[in-house]
Amino acid sequence: MTSPLPSVLDLAPVVPVVVIEDAADAVPLARALVAGGLPAIEVTLRTPAALDAIRAIAAEVPDAVVGAGTVISAAAIADVVGAGARFLVSPGWTESLLDAMRSAGVPFLPGVSTTSEVVALLERGVREMKFFPAEAAGGVPYLKSLSGPLPQARFCPTGGISLGSAPSYLSLPNVGCVGGTWMLPADALAARDWARVESLAREAAELRAR
């Protein structure tokens, strides 16, 4: 039995956001990311292969902490947790989705993009959130402006973040980690170049707040 996670935000500076088209790629991809120092892996529910990918990673890559992303319905939550997902990430939230995530028994990061959404979650006792879409919603300046009035909120910004911009996010006191895809270039995935993915993951894992 796996132990509970203390916080998704503290596992690594970067959470890879993975879209898997072929479930057969899930295990070697996860192994490459873990070997590079990125154990928390968000598998998005955007493809028919996602559930099988989560199941395979959970069963065959014990050092990975696999989670489900793009969680937008309560109906999907039981399936992904049953498949082995250890955390949940949504691009946004509603009352019913929040209730379902709370009941799942695993950590969750509901998505926000406005101050009002942050305050609403804080009212409900939720302090850890996904900030999405990060760059389009105001990026580093926006999150920096939230740290004064709302210091109790912590974020995983995701959306448009690159190796170059990640350090600016990670330097903020209210950012625990960032989500990104830059360590998963399409050509490397198409070629199943897991060594390149591992190298890019290692570069990302070395990012630290300054």
Side-chain angles (χ1 to χ4, degrees):
M1 180 179 293
T2 56
S3 58
L5 294 182
S7 171
V8 178
L9 301 186
D10 298 327
L11 293 174
V14 180
V15 176
V17 180
V18 181
V19 180
I20 295 180
E21 301 289 347
D22 185 346
D25 292 337
V27 168
L29 175 57
R31 285 176 176 159
L33 292 171
V34 171
L38 300 181
I41 301 169
E42 177 187 334
V43 177
T44 66
L45 302 182
R46 301 180 193 177
T47 68
L51 196 63
D52 286 338
I54 292 170
R55 187 177 291 110
I57 294 169
E60 299 182 45
V61 192
D63 292 332
V65 180
V66 64
T70 322
V71 176
I72 57 173
S73 72
I77 292 175
D79 289 339
V80 297
V81 173
R86 296 180 61 192
F87 63 92
L88 307 171
V89 184
S90 70
W93 65 279
T94 63
E95 293 290 353
S96 60
L97 183 60
L98 184 65
D99 287 345
M101 289 192 292
R102 279 187 187 278
S103 300
V106 297
F108 58 92
L109 297 174
V112 297
S113 59
T114 69
T115 306
S116 293
E117 291 171 324
V118 175
V119 172
L121 285 177
L122 290 174
E123 280 188 346
R124 291 156 177 79
V126 178
R127 297 190 174 192
E128 297 188 345
M129 312 166 196
K130 172 178 178 173
F131 180 63
F132 177 82
E135 287 288 282
V140 170
Y142 192 94
L143 284 174
K144 186 175 181 179
S145 71
L146 292 183
S147 65
L150 302 171
Q152 63 272 55
R154 296 181 72 215
F155 301 96
C156 174
T158 304
I161 298 174
S162 66
L163 178 65
S165 62
S168 296
Y169 283 95
L170 292 167
S171 70
L172 299 176
N174 56 351
V175 170
C177 64
V178 300
T181 60
W182 73 85
M183 73 297 300
L184 303 161
D187 58 341
L189 298 184
R192 294 176 169 82
D193 188 349
W194 310 128
R196 184 178 171 202
V197 170
E198 180 180 339
S199 177
L200 292 170
R202 184 170 292 109
E203 188 178 30
E206 291 171 355
L207 293 174
R208 291 291 183 271
R210 302 183 190 281

